[in-house]
Amino acid sequence: MTEEINLSELGGYKGLINSSYNKIWNEIPRIKEEYAYDRDSIGFAHWFFSNILNIDEQKIGELITDDFDDWGIDAININNDEDVIELYQFKFPTKETNIDNEVGQNEILTFLNGYKICSSGNIPDRTNINLTNKIIEITESEIFNYKLIFVTFTKGLGYHAKEVLDREFKLIQSTGNEIEFEIFDSKKITNRNYVSKRKTKDFEITLNQIASGTGFMSTDIAQCYSIYAKLDEIADICQIHNDVIFDENVRLFHGVNSNYNKGIISSAKNDFENFHLYNNGIVMLSTKVRNNDSSKKVKIENPKVVNGCQTMNSLLEAKRQNDNKLEGTVLVKIIEITDPLIRQNVSIYLNSQTEIKDSYLISNLPIILNLQDELTSKGYFLERQANQLSLLKASLSKKDRETKLGKGDSKVINLELAIQVYATFYENLGNVAKLNKAKLFNIKTNLEKIFKNLNSEKVSYSYEIYKLVTNKITNYRQYRRNNDKKEFLNYMHINESEINDYLFMNTGDMFILTACSLIIKKEYPNKESEPIDEELINKIIRRSIIIIKNLVLSDQTGKPPATLTKNNLFHRRIIEKINA
């Protein structure tokens, strides 16, 4: 576990942790009311998933297991993309004075006991239904790697907690099991939340040329400058402008525990004379560059790093570890360019051969840029890049936010979710979208299929129906948490004794959307070109839910509902049933 830079080291923001605590504390009651949570810890978990990990609300509802008899496991993410089971424990102090406390050994032991239950597949008799279903799902997933994530708005682990954790991890690892641990303490949570909410800004940096001269090449659309800059200068720029300089990069810092970044840090500290030989360099884009050969200075306006985020952040860490000193040089290529399409392509091509999340790459494709423009003209906001929405919100007044984004962000469409929903509704890829959405982006045939007919009309239509589907799922979850909230019972015309027939609702969003799509295409083929008829769509959603319920009840495989709603065969059964 590597300590993150304290905010005081980034500019002396005193009291920010206390301010962050109070903001979260004031937000928790609203979250509890909106989602019918009965515990502050669940409200804090929802806040964390939404604000720190940027997980959408429907996914959050699937993750949470916090309830009576949860055995210390508050949330579980079966991460098929990364082939790891992520177990979460959340602690949020009820008093501001308690944020200076430390996590004790008993809390760690409880968490580890929960891990042993989840990994063994042996479910104790007194286990709540959400955790029970997750453990069954874990057993059937055949994923054996675990990551324990402890989220606490306190100082973190105390001495005894660390000792217990180290001892238990050694025992677990001695059996050959793969297990990791990550902690989000008050400082780390505050850092992440603060950085994500910063505004964009206009700024200029100056780099000193260390080599004998600046390399230069000019074309009709761009001017390229190549220099060797001091590692110390690059680290300082990263620290000062980290909030905006990577806005056009397809990925952010992977952290100091990445083996690749460990190598950068080590060579910067211990073999700095040869650093420029080992490193591929840094690429910056700018709308204006001024080069002065006589003074050997290059001034760069509003630079955006599109390649070299790992290098720059690793240099910042190396400087911190090396008593704030850093020697050596690195190659920096600065491209002066205004053409937005070429800028996007530069980012794509420079990163297309690295291991990154493929949905980030498509955000720079012309078809996505065009989709963004079309959706904007329809009154939607396509969140094409990570943190784009939070940055925009920070720059707008409350009134302007509601005008641009809709009440409660109702006009915001996240790009990754938009592709999932479109692929489910129009391309019969609901099983892929639910089980392993990465395959929508990194399997060529899937991506070609999606791009062939992708347009703003279909994206907005499928997304509006998806919102109606998730509204019913939210009603279902609200009832499960608070039996006074009977919207779902009334909608389905059922009584309380029948609610367990609908367990699939918790994870069934994409399969319900699949059924809706099939019914609409079969019985109302012209409706897609007309405005959404909510009354009709809600009737179709009810029919879809009933169809899936009956298929679940008649299923002979013995798989739990949470597994069936991610199962290829069950997906095919839905298609066959409706098309029969």
Side-chain angles (χ1 to χ4, degrees):
M1 294 178 290
T2 303
E3 184 180 4
E4 292 200 350
I5 297 174
N6 193 297
L7 285 170
S8 63
E9 296 174 338
L10 297 175
Y13 302 99
K14 294 181 179 179
L16 199 58
I17 288 176
N18 294 70
S19 174
S20 180
Y21 169 85
N22 287 313
K23 287 180 180 178
I24 298 170
W25 177 251
N26 291 329
E27 185 72 359
I28 285 175
R30 182 198 64 78
I31 295 173
K32 288 172 64 180
E33 172 64 23
E34 183 174 350
Y35 298 97
Y37 297 142
D38 60 356
R39 297 185 181 191
D40 288 343
S41 60
I42 309 180
F44 175 51
H46 188 110
W47 180 91
F48 176 85
F49 284 132
S50 178
N51 290 274
I52 304 300
L53 300 188
N54 297 312
I55 296 175
D56 72 86
E57 65 179 42
Q58 290 305 315
K59 178 66 173 177
I60 293 171
E62 295 181 19
L63 301 182
I64 291 175
T65 57
D66 187 3
D67 204 341
F68 294 107
D69 299 323
D70 61 21
W71 296 100
I73 304 300
D74 294 334
I76 298 176
N77 181 28
I78 300 175
N79 191 335
N80 291 284
D81 294 341
E82 303 294 332
D83 197 39
V84 63
I85 306 296
E86 297 169 349
L87 306 181
Y88 290 85
Q89 173 66 274
F90 293 89
K91 298 294 180 184
F92 193 79
T94 55
K95 296 180 181 179
E96 185 177 348
T97 53
N98 291 341
I99 64 178
D100 290 327
N101 292 346
E102 294 180 329
V103 176
Q105 61 176 335
N106 289 337
E107 293 166 295
I108 291 298
L109 286 170
T110 299
F111 195 23
L112 289 169
N113 184 56
Y115 152 76
K116 292 172 184 176
I117 291 172
C118 291
S119 60
S120 71
N122 297 321
I123 306 172
D125 291 338
R126 293 183 58 180
T127 302
N128 73 58
I129 190 166
N130 287 331
L131 181 58
T132 296
N133 287 336
K134 280 293 184 183
I135 294 174
I136 294 172
E137 198 176 345
I138 288 170
T139 303
E140 296 196 358
S141 72
E142 295 188 339
I143 298 175
F144 306 106
N145 302 324
Y146 282 80
K147 185 172 185 179
L148 276 57
I149 303 168
F150 201 104
V151 184
T152 173
F153 209 93
T154 65
K155 280 187 174 181
L157 303 183
Y159 172 80
H160 294 99
K162 290 177 182 177
E163 288 294 310
V164 167
L165 183 66
D166 288 342
R167 184 183 71 242
E168 292 294 322
F169 260 49
K170 287 177 182 177
L171 290 173
I172 294 169
Q173 290 166 343
S174 69
T175 66
N177 292 333
E178 293 290 331
I179 187 169
E180 297 177 66
F181 183 86
E182 183 175 11
I183 185 165
F184 285 82
D185 58 16
S186 59
K187 183 175 69 176
K188 189 172 183 178
I189 293 168
T190 301
N191 283 354
R192 293 285 183 89
N193 193 41
Y194 178 76
V195 169
S196 70
K197 299 296 186 291
R198 290 182 185 176
K199 297 181 180 179
T200 56
K201 62 184 180 183
D202 291 325
F203 66 104
E204 181 183 84
I205 65 171
T206 300
L207 293 177
N208 291 288
Q209 168 66 286
I210 302 304
S212 57
T214 300
F216 176 74
M217 186 177 74
S218 178
T219 66
D220 292 339
I221 60 171
Q223 289 75 48
C224 298
Y225 303 81
S226 296
I227 70 169
Y228 281 91
K230 294 179 180 179
L231 300 186
D232 182 74
E233 285 184 351
I234 296 297
D236 288 345
I237 289 168
C238 181
Q239 179 171 357
I240 296 169
H241 301 295
N242 198 291
D243 54 336
V244 291
I245 202 166
F246 303 113
D247 282 355
E248 292 186 33
N249 207 305
V250 298
R251 57 179 175 179
L252 297 180
F253 188 42
H254 280 177
V256 296
N257 289 325
S258 159
N259 288 333
Y260 176 75
N261 292 335
K262 284 180 180 178
I264 296 176
I265 294 168
S266 176
S267 59
K269 291 167 54 182
N270 305 315
D271 199 5
F272 58 85
E273 299 95 337
N274 297 315
F275 188 89
H276 64 288
L277 302 177
Y278 304 149
N279 192 275
N280 289 329
I282 297 163
V283 181
M284 298 180 181
L285 304 183
S286 171
T287 54
K288 187 173 182 180
V289 179
R290 288 170 291 161
N291 178 53
N292 189 321
D293 275 331
S294 60
S295 64
K296 302 182 74 172
K297 293 182 181 295
V298 180
K299 294 184 179 294
I300 310 162
E301 291 189 7
N302 294 315
K304 302 294 182 184
V305 174
V306 293
N307 195 255
C309 176
Q310 308 308 310
T311 293
M312 290 183 68
N313 280 280
S314 295
L315 292 176
L316 178 58
E317 175 64 18
K319 184 175 180 178
R320 188 184 72 83
Q321 294 181 14
N322 207 43
D323 297 326
N324 214 33
K325 298 175 183 178
L326 209 59
E327 297 183 57
T329 61
V330 65
L331 175 65
V332 181
K333 181 164 72 174
I334 309 111
I335 305 174
E336 181 180 311
I337 188 168
T338 57
D339 186 304
L341 180 57
I342 301 300
R343 287 176 72 102
Q344 298 291 347
N345 284 343
V346 169
S347 180
I348 292 171
Y349 298 143
L350 283 174
N351 291 282
S352 60
Q353 295 181 348
T354 57
E355 186 179 350
I356 63 168
K357 191 176 181 181
D358 299 87
S359 56
Y360 293 159
L361 284 181
I362 73 164
S363 69
N364 293 304
L365 292 175
I367 190 172
I368 301 301
L369 295 173
N370 186 56
L371 177 65
Q372 182 181 41
D373 291 340
E374 289 181 358
L375 286 171
T376 299
S377 69
K378 293 178 178 296
Y380 292 93
F381 174 79
L382 180 67
E383 189 183 16
R384 186 175 56 83
Q385 297 168 300
N387 288 334
Q388 187 179 8
L389 178 61
S390 59
L391 289 171
L392 177 63
K393 282 183 174 181
S395 67
L396 298 173
S397 67
K398 184 177 180 180
K399 182 179 179 181
D400 289 340
R401 285 202 301 268
E402 189 163 312
T403 300
K404 187 176 183 66
L405 306 176
K407 190 174 182 179
D409 298 340
S410 60
K411 291 298 181 182
V412 175
I413 304 178
N414 173 270
L415 175 59
E416 183 173 82
L417 182 58
I419 296 299
Q420 284 181 273
V421 169
Y422 169 84
T424 296
F425 195 90
Y426 286 102
E427 307 298 345
N428 276 344
L429 291 172
N431 52 332
V432 180
K434 190 63 184 177
L435 177 61
N436 194 341
K437 63 180 180 289
K439 289 184 178 180
L440 294 176
F441 305 99
N442 59 28
I443 301 296
K444 184 180 179 182
T445 53
N446 286 341
L447 208 52
E448 288 175 344
K449 191 175 183 181
I450 291 166
F451 283 164
K452 184 176 181 180
N453 298 303
L454 184 71
N455 60 47
S456 60
E457 286 78 15
K458 292 184 176 181
V459 168
S460 58
Y461 184 81
S462 57
Y463 189 77
E464 290 297 333
I465 294 178
Y466 178 74
K467 287 202 299 183
L468 293 174
V469 169
T470 56
N471 177 260
K472 302 309 173 189
I473 294 174
T474 297
N475 290 158
Y476 165 80
R477 290 173 179 157
Q478 288 173 334
Y479 175 76
R480 298 301 304 222
R481 296 171 184 134
N482 184 344
N483 291 348
D484 292 333
K485 294 184 177 291
K486 301 183 184 297
E487 287 88 346
F488 183 76
L489 299 184
N490 296 333
Y491 172 69
M492 295 303 301
H493 309 306
I494 62 174
N495 57 48
E496 296 179 4
S497 64
E498 299 174 84
I499 193 64
N500 284 338
D501 292 344
Y502 295 85
L503 292 173
F504 66 88
M505 290 291 296
N506 197 45
T507 54
D509 55 344
M510 293 303 170
F511 280 27
I512 296 171
L513 185 64
T514 294
C516 290
S517 168
L518 294 168
I519 293 172
I520 291 171
K521 290 174 184 175
K522 183 179 180 180
E523 301 179 17
Y524 307 95
N526 298 320
K527 285 295 180 183
E528 295 175 42
S529 60
E530 300 174 4
I532 294 284
D533 181 342
E534 286 196 24
E535 184 177 356
L536 174 63
I537 297 303
N538 277 322
K539 289 180 180 178
I540 292 172
I541 293 172
R542 186 186 297 113
R543 283 179 58 192
S544 300
I545 292 172
I546 292 171
I547 288 170
I548 295 175
K549 180 203 72 170
N550 291 334
L551 288 173
V552 169
L553 293 177
S554 64
D555 181 73
Q556 300 297 313
T557 66
K559 296 181 182 297
T563 301
L564 290 176
T565 51
K566 301 172 185 177
N567 182 272
N568 291 330
L569 179 59
F570 191 76
H571 183 260
R572 195 155 56 242
R573 288 182 61 198
I574 295 172
I575 296 173
E576 291 170 353
K577 177 68 176 179
I578 295 174
N579 286 339

